[in-house]
Amino acid sequence: MVGLGRMGGNMAERLRAAGHEVVGYANDGSGDVQSLGELVKALAAPRTVWLMVPSGEPTHSTVRSLADLLEEGDLVVDGGNSRFTDDTEHAELLSGHGVHYADCGVSGGVWGRTEGYGLMAGGADADIERLMPVFDALRPEGPREEGFAHAGPVGAGHYAKMVHNGVEYGLMQAYAEGYELLSAGGPVTDVGAVMKAWSRGTVVRSWLLDLMVRALEADPHLDQITGYAEDSGEGRWTVDEAIVHAVPLPVISAALFARFASRQTDSPAMKAVAALRAQFGGHATRKAGEAANEPPTGG
């Protein structure tokens, strides 16, 4: 296991608990070995090397290094959040050395160690079959098809995970908007209790809702955090693919743009809207620093 952060470290422990021998490497020196070369030497051929490192150059450089270190018949799995287009490049590079390649979208976050990980794999049938004992150890208990999918050839796993994360953006935004409206001054006095009541029997119940309830139980008014939301990149890639294939994604796109808006303490676009309202309707503008809310009048 290359990369022992919040995901990779927990995955390594779940694999060990299932009886697999795992050698871990992290570039901060916290692993079982201190270099990729030592990692390769510690594993008996044919080796399987699973990557859980940041997408982009960290993954590219790791694959390039492994191409020079591994032997024919070894197998590399990229389980990080790489863009699916990177998989073809990685597979071609490794195949020139006789090394096999598969990609796997992994969902489960910090809860995966105990709850299991949702897995979406891309690769040749023989490589996926070879990895099945690993997939079975990592996925949640229950029917395999409810926690694992062989999504297609190389790249399909990361493509499936990309779309999964886009859907996640939309779901999170819907729950967040519901929370904001419930908290906006209407008759509801216990927002956390309402959202918790949604968690059984209703059509909006989900694990994400359970996590929202957990967050509100710890911080009922979310006073301990700021309204700033990063994006991992997969939401952007999902919208890019929607444009390529002319697939309308209004909810996912809006959720992505909402994250961008969260990083603006004073939105330039909304300043422009305020200026336009003043121009066409004579509506009053507010000086910088004024916090009072203007009644919703005019355009």
Side-chain angles (χ1 to χ4, degrees), residues 91-102:
E92 290 177 353
L93 172 63
L94 291 168
S95 68
H97 298 259
V99 178
H100 299 240
Y101 179 84

Side-chain angles (χ1 to χ4, degrees), residues 90-138:
H90 294 159
E92 290 177 353
L93 172 63
L94 291 168
S95 68
H97 298 259
V99 178
H100 299 240
Y101 179 84
D103 60 286
C104 187
V106 181
S107 181
V110 297
W111 301 94
R113 179 176 177 179
T114 54
E115 303 296 324
Y117 299 90
L119 306 170
M120 297 142 270
D125 290 347
D127 292 333
I128 300 304
E129 186 61 31
R130 171 176 165 180
L131 289 164
M132 200 56 70
V134 174
F135 294 141
D136 282 341
L138 290 173

Side-chain angles (χ1 to χ4, degrees), residues 33 49 58 75 91 104 109 138 149 154 186 195 202 204 216 220 222 228 230 263-264 266 279 290 292-293:
V33 294
V49 180
L75 171 60
C104 187
L138 290 173
V154 165
M195 299 195 82
T202 77
V204 299
L216 290 173
L222 302 181
Y228 182 105
E230 275 289 3
R263 301 165 204 169
Q264 297 179 324
D266 194 8
Q279 291 296 321
E290 290 182 352
N293 291 321

Side-chain angles (χ1 to χ4, degrees), residues 61-125:
S61 62
T62 302
V63 171
R64 288 195 296 266
S65 296
L66 288 171
D68 294 329
L69 292 168
L70 293 172
E71 300 175 335
E72 186 173 349
D74 291 343
L75 171 60
V76 172
V77 185
D78 180 8
N81 285 332
S82 294
R83 189 163 187 166
F84 74 96
T85 50
D86 292 343
D87 292 314
T88 300
E89 175 186 337
H90 294 159
E92 290 177 353
L93 172 63
L94 291 168
S95 68
H97 298 259
V99 178
H100 299 240
Y101 179 84
D103 60 286
C104 187
V106 181
S107 181
V110 297
W111 301 94
R113 179 176 177 179
T114 54
E115 303 296 324
Y117 299 90
L119 306 170
M120 297 142 270
D125 290 347

Side-chain angles (χ1 to χ4, degrees), residues 10-78:
N10 282 340
M11 291 169 67
E13 291 307 311
R14 186 172 175 89
L15 287 169
R16 289 187 177 113
H20 292 280
E21 178 185 356
V22 180
V23 179
Y25 167 70
N27 59 15
D28 63 1
S30 63
D32 304 301
V33 294
Q34 299 303 304
S35 70
L36 289 175
E38 289 183 27
L39 178 82
V40 171
K41 290 179 181 178
L43 296 170
R47 306 167 183 85
T48 296
V49 180
W50 189 299
L51 311 184
M52 291 299 295
V53 298
S55 62
E57 185 53 33
T59 298
H60 296 326
S61 62
T62 302
V63 171
R64 288 195 296 266
S65 296
L66 288 171
D68 294 329
L69 292 168
L70 293 172
E71 300 175 335
E72 186 173 349
D74 291 343
L75 171 60
V76 172
V77 185
D78 180 8

Side-chain angles (χ1 to χ4, degrees), residues 110-277:
V110 297
W111 301 94
R113 179 176 177 179
T114 54
E115 303 296 324
Y117 299 90
L119 306 170
M120 297 142 270
D125 290 347
D127 292 333
I128 300 304
E129 186 61 31
R130 171 176 165 180
L131 289 164
M132 200 56 70
V134 174
F135 294 141
D136 282 341
L138 290 173
R139 66 175 176 82
E141 294 182 5
R144 178 186 286 170
E145 62 270 18
E146 294 181 6
F148 168 83
H150 181 189
V154 165
H158 280 143
Y159 195 97
K161 179 59 164 40
M162 175 191 72
V163 176
H164 165 281
N165 280 25
V167 172
E168 180 184 288
Y169 275 50
L171 291 172
M172 292 173 67
Q173 186 66 23
Y175 287 132
E177 291 176 8
Y179 164 79
E180 182 171 358
L181 183 56
L182 287 169
S183 306
V188 173
T189 57
D190 193 338
V191 175
V194 170
M195 299 195 82
K196 189 169 187 176
W198 293 351
S199 62
R200 288 185 184 271
T202 77
V203 296
V204 299
R205 65 189 184 273
S206 74
W207 187 40
L208 278 176
L209 177 60
D210 294 342
L211 295 177
M212 182 71 193
V213 169
R214 182 186 293 266
L216 290 173
E217 288 175 341
D219 185 4
H221 303 290
L222 302 181
D223 295 326
Q224 299 176 26
I225 59 175
T226 62
Y228 182 105
E230 275 289 3
D231 66 287
S232 65
E234 288 179 299
R236 302 183 190 209
W237 303 339
T238 304
V239 173
D240 288 345
E241 279 297 293
I243 294 169
V244 170
H245 296 288
V247 174
L249 297 186
V251 172
I252 294 173
S253 300
L256 174 64
F257 295 146
R259 295 199 185 188
F260 296 165
S262 79
R263 301 165 204 169
Q264 297 179 324
T265 55
D266 194 8
S267 168
M270 294 316 297
K271 285 185 178 182
V273 169
L276 285 169
R277 293 181 75 242

